[in-house]
Tab-separated table of all heavy atoms in Angstrom:
chain	number	residue	atom	x	y	z
A	1051	ALA	N	-14.359	21.793	-5.435
A	1051	ALA	CA	-13.078	21.883	-5.985
A	1051	ALA	C	-12.795	23.210	-6.648
A	1051	ALA	O	-11.753	23.711	-6.726
A	1051	ALA	CB	-12.743	20.733	-6.903
A	1052	TYR	N	-13.871	23.756	-7.192
A	1052	TYR	CA	-13.729	24.979	-8.006
A	1052	TYR	C	-14.482	26.153	-7.412
A	1052	TYR	O	-14.694	27.214	-8.067
A	1052	TYR	CB	-13.990	24.763	-9.483
A	1052	TYR	CG	-15.195	23.993	-9.762
A	1052	TYR	CD1	-16.511	24.455	-9.988
A	1052	TYR	CD2	-15.055	22.516	-9.964
A	1052	TYR	CE1	-17.554	23.617	-10.224
A	1052	TYR	CE2	-16.105	21.718	-10.124
A	1052	TYR	CZ	-17.383	22.238	-10.322
A	1052	TYR	OH	-18.460	21.428	-10.554
A	1078	VAL	N	-3.964	19.495	-8.271
A	1078	VAL	CA	-5.212	19.636	-9.035
A	1078	VAL	C	-5.665	18.306	-9.313
A	1078	VAL	O	-5.022	17.462	-10.022
A	1078	VAL	CB	-4.934	20.441	-10.370
A	1078	VAL	CG1	-6.245	20.466	-11.222
A	1078	VAL	CG2	-4.411	21.864	-10.069
A	1109	LYS	N	-13.474	20.422	-15.445
A	1109	LYS	CA	-13.538	20.728	-13.965
A	1109	LYS	C	-12.161	21.084	-13.407
A	1109	LYS	O	-12.032	21.952	-12.616
A	1109	LYS	CB	-14.110	19.594	-13.151
A	1109	LYS	CG	-15.413	19.058	-13.567
A	1109	LYS	CD	-16.540	20.067	-13.325
A	1109	LYS	CE	-17.914	19.427	-13.727
A	1109	LYS	NZ	-18.922	20.427	-14.126
A	1110	LEU	N	-11.181	20.309	-13.972
A	1110	LEU	CA	-9.804	20.596	-13.461
A	1110	LEU	C	-9.368	21.991	-13.900
A	1110	LEU	O	-8.619	22.729	-13.194
A	1110	LEU	CB	-8.830	19.576	-14.034
A	1110	LEU	CG	-9.040	18.114	-13.642
A	1110	LEU	CD1	-8.131	17.158	-14.310
A	1110	LEU	CD2	-8.876	17.949	-12.076
A	1111	GLN	N	-9.776	22.406	-15.066
A	1111	GLN	CA	-9.449	23.693	-15.608
A	1111	GLN	C	-10.012	24.830	-14.569
A	1111	GLN	O	-9.308	25.803	-14.219
A	1111	GLN	CB	-10.050	24.012	-16.982
A	1111	GLN	CG	-9.386	23.242	-18.039
A	1111	GLN	CD	-10.000	23.518	-19.427
A	1111	GLN	OE1	-11.199	23.393	-19.593
A	1111	GLN	NE2	-9.193	23.885	-20.411
A	1112	MET	N	-11.262	24.584	-14.167
A	1112	MET	CA	-11.896	25.483	-13.225
A	1112	MET	C	-11.146	25.474	-11.913
A	1112	MET	O	-11.004	26.484	-11.300
A	1112	MET	CB	-13.419	25.134	-13.055
A	1112	MET	CG	-14.226	25.377	-14.334
A	1112	MET	SD	-15.718	24.409	-14.405
A	1112	MET	CE	-16.684	25.232	-13.169
A	1113	GLN	N	-10.790	24.259	-11.405
A	1113	GLN	CA	-10.067	24.220	-10.151
A	1113	GLN	C	-8.751	24.944	-10.260
A	1113	GLN	O	-8.460	25.689	-9.319
A	1113	GLN	CB	-9.863	22.682	-9.876
A	1113	GLN	CG	-9.211	22.468	-8.455
A	1113	GLN	CD	-8.911	20.945	-8.289
A	1113	GLN	OE1	-8.850	20.163	-9.090
A	1113	GLN	NE2	-8.732	20.606	-6.941
A	1114	ALA	N	-7.980	24.753	-11.349
A	1114	ALA	CA	-6.707	25.373	-11.522
A	1114	ALA	C	-6.866	26.896	-11.548
A	1114	ALA	O	-6.122	27.650	-10.965
A	1114	ALA	CB	-6.035	24.906	-12.802
A	1115	LEU	N	-7.982	27.354	-12.217
A	1115	LEU	CA	-8.226	28.813	-12.332
A	1115	LEU	C	-8.548	29.335	-10.937
A	1115	LEU	O	-8.047	30.463	-10.564
A	1115	LEU	CB	-9.267	29.033	-13.251
A	1115	LEU	CG	-9.603	30.525	-13.557
A	1115	LEU	CD1	-8.387	31.292	-14.050
A	1115	LEU	CD2	-10.766	30.748	-14.542
A	1116	ALA	N	-9.337	28.675	-10.174
A	1116	ALA	CA	-9.702	29.116	-8.814
A	1116	ALA	C	-8.398	29.289	-7.986
A	1116	ALA	O	-8.228	30.267	-7.250
A	1116	ALA	CB	-10.653	28.224	-8.124
A	1117	LEU	N	-7.485	28.378	-8.177
A	1117	LEU	CA	-6.271	28.338	-7.322
A	1117	LEU	C	-5.402	29.480	-7.795
A	1117	LEU	O	-4.788	30.185	-6.957
A	1117	LEU	CB	-5.533	27.031	-7.500
A	1117	LEU	CG	-6.183	25.800	-6.844
A	1117	LEU	CD1	-5.517	24.532	-7.373
A	1117	LEU	CD2	-6.182	25.829	-5.308
A	1118	ALA	N	-5.378	29.775	-9.131
A	1118	ALA	CA	-4.576	30.849	-9.700
A	1118	ALA	C	-5.072	32.158	-9.103
A	1118	ALA	O	-4.262	33.027	-8.749
A	1118	ALA	CB	-4.573	30.818	-11.233
A	1119	LYS	N	-6.399	32.323	-9.099
A	1119	LYS	CA	-6.966	33.590	-8.603
A	1119	LYS	C	-6.614	33.717	-7.175
A	1119	LYS	O	-6.438	34.903	-6.680
A	1119	LYS	CB	-8.471	33.587	-8.725
A	1119	LYS	CG	-8.916	33.757	-10.186
A	1119	LYS	CD	-10.379	33.696	-10.304
A	1119	LYS	CE	-10.922	33.903	-11.801
A	1119	LYS	NZ	-12.330	33.633	-11.878
A	1122	VAL	N	-1.829	30.950	-6.134
A	1122	VAL	CA	-0.936	29.815	-6.182
A	1122	VAL	C	0.190	30.089	-7.191
A	1122	VAL	O	0.054	30.812	-8.119
A	1122	VAL	CB	-1.720	28.555	-6.578
A	1122	VAL	CG1	-2.051	28.472	-8.095
A	1122	VAL	CG2	-0.929	27.308	-6.215
A	1125	VAL	N	0.630	24.934	-10.022
A	1125	VAL	CA	-0.399	23.877	-9.918
A	1125	VAL	C	0.060	22.560	-10.376
A	1125	VAL	O	0.968	22.419	-11.171
A	1125	VAL	CB	-1.706	24.292	-10.781
A	1125	VAL	CG1	-2.459	25.413	-10.264
A	1125	VAL	CG2	-1.315	24.505	-12.277
A	1138	MET	N	-5.160	22.854	-19.342
A	1138	MET	CA	-4.964	23.741	-18.187
A	1138	MET	C	-4.072	24.885	-18.516
A	1138	MET	O	-4.362	26.050	-18.066
A	1138	MET	CB	-4.222	22.875	-17.060
A	1138	MET	CG	-4.599	23.218	-15.663
A	1138	MET	SD	-3.969	21.941	-14.589
A	1138	MET	CE	-5.171	20.680	-14.893
A	1141	HIS	N	-6.228	27.426	-20.472
A	1141	HIS	CA	-7.220	27.991	-19.609
A	1141	HIS	C	-6.582	29.067	-18.716
A	1141	HIS	O	-7.076	30.224	-18.609
A	1141	HIS	CB	-7.929	26.903	-18.771
A	1141	HIS	CG	-9.190	27.393	-18.195
A	1141	HIS	ND1	-10.314	27.668	-18.993
A	1141	HIS	CD2	-9.626	27.488	-16.920
A	1141	HIS	CE1	-11.340	28.014	-18.155
A	1141	HIS	NE2	-10.953	27.944	-16.923
A	1142	LEU	N	-5.423	28.732	-18.133
A	1142	LEU	CA	-4.785	29.735	-17.293
A	1142	LEU	C	-4.340	30.911	-18.117
A	1142	LEU	O	-4.523	32.087	-17.731
A	1142	LEU	CB	-3.521	29.049	-16.616
A	1142	LEU	CG	-3.811	28.035	-15.534
A	1142	LEU	CD1	-2.619	27.328	-15.160
A	1142	LEU	CD2	-4.502	28.682	-14.330
A	1150	VAL	N	1.666	31.394	-13.814
A	1150	VAL	CA	1.503	30.192	-12.943
A	1150	VAL	C	2.142	28.963	-13.563
A	1150	VAL	O	1.855	28.682	-14.778
A	1150	VAL	CB	-0.026	29.971	-12.672
A	1150	VAL	CG1	-0.219	28.710	-11.963
A	1150	VAL	CG2	-0.605	31.160	-11.843
Side-chain angles (χ1 to χ4, degrees):
Y1052 40 93
V1078 178
K1109 307 293 186 205
L1110 297 174
Q1111 288 179 310
M1112 291 158 70
Q1113 185 184 17
L1115 184 59
L1117 294 166
K1119 287 182 181 169
V1122 75
V1125 287
M1138 213 168 283
H1141 199 62
L1142 289 171
V1150 172

